[in-house]
Amino acid sequence: MSIEGIVVGLLGIVLGAVFCFAGFRWFLVLLPIFGLFVGFTTGASATSLLLGEGFLASTLAIVVGVVFAVIFALLSWFYWWGAVAVLGGALGYAIALGLLEAIGFNADGFVTALIAVTAGVAVAIGALLVNAPKYIAIILTAFAGAAWLTAGIALVLGIIETTGLDAGPLAAIYVEGWFWILIWAVVAGAGIIAQVQMTKAWEQDLVVSYDSRRPL
């Protein structure tokens, strides 16, 4: 257990819980913040995998993480489709890394990173093509929030280290056994149910608000 792990873990628990159970309700406020968090971890993780090094092991990985964080946050703030794409892409990337590692791919390999990035882009595009933004947002926020909440708990307990996040939160908890994946699935399911019951009247207001933000 390290100070870094506790700090990242607590951040993951707080943001993960809020996104999992109230992601759609607080979409306007939380999405740019989550965009920063996801953008940084995704950019740094992808760079680390491509270079074959540990998470945040080089200045380049940190710089790329910061650049991705800014891009993801701006995209999430100004565009509804950007917010959905950020969540979908991040989730697709994390799930792909977890599955590839589960079937025996090298977690630090270039091919693994390339496939995971491609999967993330594919999921992001797929999320945009499905004309049901409210339910896409609910499912994606619940899945992503549950992944970070579960990984955050494991970090705080010292079960995993921050270096394990280079393959994404799902991959980090998967290697600890199916018990942690079961926790993630239960939490995500509970989050979806809670959000569906709480968000019946907010979708139109959310879309209108995003339309009023667009700079162009």
Side-chain angles (χ1 to χ4, degrees):
M1 184 184 300
S2 64
I3 297 298
E4 180 186 23
I6 293 174
V7 172
V8 174
L10 290 175
L11 183 61
I13 290 172
V14 173
L15 287 179
V18 175
F19 246 75
C20 182
F21 293 99
F24 187 80
R25 175 65 181 89
W26 300 105
F27 216 60
L28 295 175
V29 176
L30 293 176
L31 219 292
I33 298 174
F34 197 72
L36 280 170
F37 189 59
V38 169
F40 180 78
T41 54
T42 300
S45 169
T47 303
S48 297
L49 285 172
L50 290 173
L51 296 178
E53 60 187 19
F55 187 60
L56 301 182
S58 68
T59 302
L60 178 60
I62 295 174
V63 171
V64 172
V66 171
V67 172
F68 270 65
V70 173
I71 293 174
F72 278 31
L74 290 176
L75 203 58
S76 300
W77 175 260
F78 287 118
Y79 298 102
W80 165 255
W81 59 263
V84 174
V86 165
L87 282 172
L91 186 63
Y93 174 81
I95 291 178
L97 278 178
L99 291 176
L100 289 170
E101 185 173 352
I103 61 178
F105 275 74
N106 179 7
D108 298 323
F110 175 83
V111 174
T112 302
L114 184 61
I115 294 175
V117 170
T118 302
V121 173
V123 173
I125 294 174
L128 297 176
L129 294 178
V130 179
N131 189 25
K134 171 182 174 179
Y135 295 102
I136 290 173
I138 287 175
I139 292 172
L140 293 180
T141 53
F143 277 23
W148 280 108
L149 190 158
T150 307
I153 293 173
L155 280 167
V156 170
L157 294 177
I159 294 172
I160 63 174
E161 301 292 336
T162 54
T163 53
L165 294 176
D166 59 359
L170 284 180
I173 59 177
Y174 171 78
V175 297
E176 299 301 325
W178 281 101
F179 173 73
W180 288 94
I181 294 298
L182 179 61
I183 292 177
W184 167 74
V186 171
V187 172
I192 291 172
I193 293 172
Q195 289 198 59
V196 168
Q197 293 177 341
M198 293 167 54
T199 58
K200 303 206 178 201
W202 296 329
E203 180 179 8
Q204 190 57 41
D205 290 340
L206 183 63
V207 175
V208 170
S209 178
Y210 264 91
D211 286 341
S212 68
R213 288 179 179 176
R214 294 183 181 180
L216 299 176

